[in-house]
Amino acid sequence: WSRAALDLAHGLQAQGHQVTALVAHASASGLREQVVLRSETRILSNPLAVLVDAYKVWQALKRLQPDVVHVIAEPYALLQPFGDWKTWITVHGSYGAIPFCGPWFVRVLMSRALRRMAGIITVSEFTKQYVLEHAAPYLERTMLEKKISVIHNAVDLSRFPAHIAPRAPSKTMNILSVGAVKPRKNILTSLKALTLLRDAGIQFQYHIIGSIQQVPQYVEDIRRTILAYSLTNSVNIHGDVGEDALKQAFAAADVFLMPSSPEGLQVEGFGIVFLEANAWGIPVVGPRSGGCPEAIKDGATGFVVDPADAQAIADALQKILLDGAIDPQQCRRWAEAHDHERISAQVLAVYNQAQR
C-alpha cells in the first residue's frame, strides 16, 4: 500500500497537483501528511474504532476541502465520511474479498462505501474479477462494472538507475526475493527448485529480504528446510534491510524469484516488485496466479510458472541464468511503460471522466 500510494502521489505532484496524505504514522514521504488514522486491522475488527476514525477523517476533509479523495488502502474505505467529496478507491488484491467475508458491520460499511464511490480502480483484470465475484452478492454487478477501471500499479523510475549497468560474468549466480517472509510468498517451493539447480551443477546464492516478524513459525520452517536440503551455504535470510542494502542486492541480482501462491483469500493482486526488478534490468520468475501474469510479460521480462511446480521454477531460472533467454533492456522498457507519471496520468483521466 505505502509504495503504491507514494508512487501515485509523487506522480500526481509531478503533474502540478497538490497531494495531502491522511496517514497512521508520520514519514519522510515528501508529502503533506496528517496523522489521523490507526492500523487497518483495528478498523476491520472494531466498530467503535470505525466511528471514531470516521469522525477524524470527516474533520480533516472539512478543513482540506479536496477536489478528490482517493482511498489507497482498502479498509480505510470504511471511514468514508458523509459529504460531497468525489471519492475513488484502489483495490489491490486480497481486500477485494476480505471485507465481504468479515463481520456484518464491515460488510455493510464496505457495500455502502463502494456504492457511493465515484469510481473504483483495480490494479489488474484479475483484481477486477475478484471484486466482482465477492462484492456482487451485496451490490448490483452492472453498477460495479460501470465504476471499475483497470490501471496497473506504477513504479517511480527516479528511484532506480537511469541506465542498466552490465553485470560482470560470475560463476555464482545471485537469486533475489524481496517481500515479507510468509507462506503466500511460497519460499519453501523455491528452495525445492533450488535443489534442482544445484543438482544440475549451477552455483548460486539465494538472498531472501523482507520482514521475518509476521509469521515466525514459517521462518522456522524455512530454516529447517534449508538444513534438510543442505543449502546452508547457498541461502541467506537477511530480514528487513535499509534502502542502501536493498539497492545493493538488486544491483547484484541476476534474477528475481517470487512464485507466490494464493493462501485462502490472500492473493497477489499485481506485484509491483516485479516491475521494480525489471527497472534494474533484472528478469523475473513469478506465478501463473493472481494478477502476477499482468505484471510479468511472459517470455519477454521473465517467466510465469505454476507456483506449486518446483521443476517448472527451476527450468525458468535455468533459461534465464544459463541460456540468457530474457533481455535486460526488454525488462527496463516494460518498467518504463509503468512509470508513475504515465500511470498517474491514467488515474487523472479517470478522475476527469467522472467530473464531466
Side-chain angles (χ1 to χ4, degrees):
W1 284 330
S2 58
R3 184 74 265 160
L6 281 171
D7 286 348
L8 174 59
H10 289 154
L12 292 170
Q13 283 187 328
Q15 297 182 62
H17 302 282
Q18 186 178 76
V19 179
T20 301
L22 304 186
V23 297
H25 307 283
S27 67
S29 66
L31 305 174
R32 292 198 313 172
E33 293 182 344
Q34 293 189 17
V35 180
V36 297
L37 304 175
R38 72 185 80 203
S39 77
E40 72 282 353
T41 53
R42 184 83 181 273
I43 295 296
L44 289 169
S45 61
N46 188 331
L48 182 59
V50 172
L51 290 173
V52 171
D53 283 15
Y55 180 70
K56 290 180 182 178
V57 170
W58 179 69
Q59 284 186 314
L61 293 181
K62 273 210 311 182
R63 290 191 300 270
L64 290 168
Q65 289 297 315
D67 298 299
V68 166
V69 177
H70 195 140
V71 179
I72 298 293
E74 301 97 313
Y76 294 117
L78 303 182
L79 309 180
Q80 185 186 14
F82 294 102
D84 297 327
W85 297 286
K86 291 282 188 179
T87 304
W88 279 260
I89 183 173
T90 293
V91 180
H92 300 273
S94 303
Y95 281 96
I98 288 173
F100 296 103
C101 301
W104 68 268
F105 75 92
V106 172
R107 296 196 301 271
V108 169
L109 288 175
M110 184 57 77
S111 300
R112 175 182 174 275
L114 292 184
R115 191 176 292 111
R116 296 183 68 228
M117 290 288 170
I120 301 166
I121 294 172
T122 63
V123 299
S124 62
E125 287 289 345
F126 166 81
T127 309
K128 175 181 177 179
Q129 296 307 316
Y130 205 54
V131 171
L132 291 173
E133 176 187 348
H134 289 89
Y138 304 90
L139 295 162
E140 183 188 348
R141 186 182 179 95
T142 302
M143 178 273 288
L144 275 176
E145 288 179 326
K146 288 179 179 178
K147 286 190 174 188
I148 295 176
S149 302
V150 178
I151 301 178
H152 287 167
N153 280 135
V155 60
D156 181 356
L157 291 177
S158 69
R159 297 189 291 111
F160 301 89
H163 303 286
I164 299 170
R167 286 173 170 74
S170 173
K171 290 183 179 178
T172 302
M173 302 298 183
N174 280 308
I175 302 170
L176 177 64
S177 292
V178 177
V181 181
K182 50 189 176 183
R184 182 156 51 98
K185 302 303 180 181
N186 202 22
I187 290 172
L188 295 179
T189 306
S190 294
L191 294 175
K192 186 174 181 181
L194 294 181
T195 66
L196 300 175
L197 282 191
R198 178 196 60 198
D199 295 345
I202 299 173
Q203 298 178 44
F204 62 85
Q205 287 291 311
Y206 179 35
H207 299 277
I208 303 169
I209 292 177
S211 171
I212 58 175
Q213 311 301 324
Q214 294 187 21
V215 191
Q217 184 56 54
Y218 185 65
V219 177
E220 288 306 308
D221 290 344
I222 291 171
R223 296 190 192 280
R224 283 194 291 269
T225 302
I226 290 169
L227 287 171
Y229 288 166
S230 301
L231 290 171
T232 307
N233 295 325
S234 301
V235 179
N236 311 273
I237 301 175
H238 298 277
D240 280 322
V241 301
E243 191 68 23
D244 288 343
L246 183 60
K247 287 181 178 179
Q248 290 174 13
F250 272 111
D254 295 292
V255 64
F256 181 86
L257 174 63
M258 194 177 78
S260 304
S261 181
E263 184 190 18
L265 295 174
Q266 299 285 341
V267 295
E268 296 285 352
F270 183 74
I272 296 176
V273 71
F274 295 118
L275 294 180
E276 293 178 329
N278 285 162
W280 286 90
I282 302 169
V284 301
V285 176
R288 191 177 286 110
S289 62
C292 296
E294 296 175 56
I296 302 168
K297 203 170 183 179
D298 191 30
T301 68
F303 294 105
V304 294
V305 297
D306 178 349
D309 189 339
Q311 185 64 62
I313 296 170
D315 290 346
L317 291 171
Q318 189 161 332
K319 287 177 185 176
I320 292 168
L321 296 173
L322 296 189
D323 302 340
I326 302 299
D327 178 4
Q329 296 298 332
Q330 283 259 57
C331 297
R332 176 69 184 195
R333 286 193 287 272
W334 181 244
E336 289 171 350
H338 292 82
D339 179 61
H340 70 312
E341 291 193 32
R342 292 190 184 192
I343 298 301
S344 63
Q346 294 178 34
V347 173
L348 281 169
V350 169
Y351 293 162
N352 289 328
Q353 186 176 17
Q355 301 283 7
R356 291 197 289 269

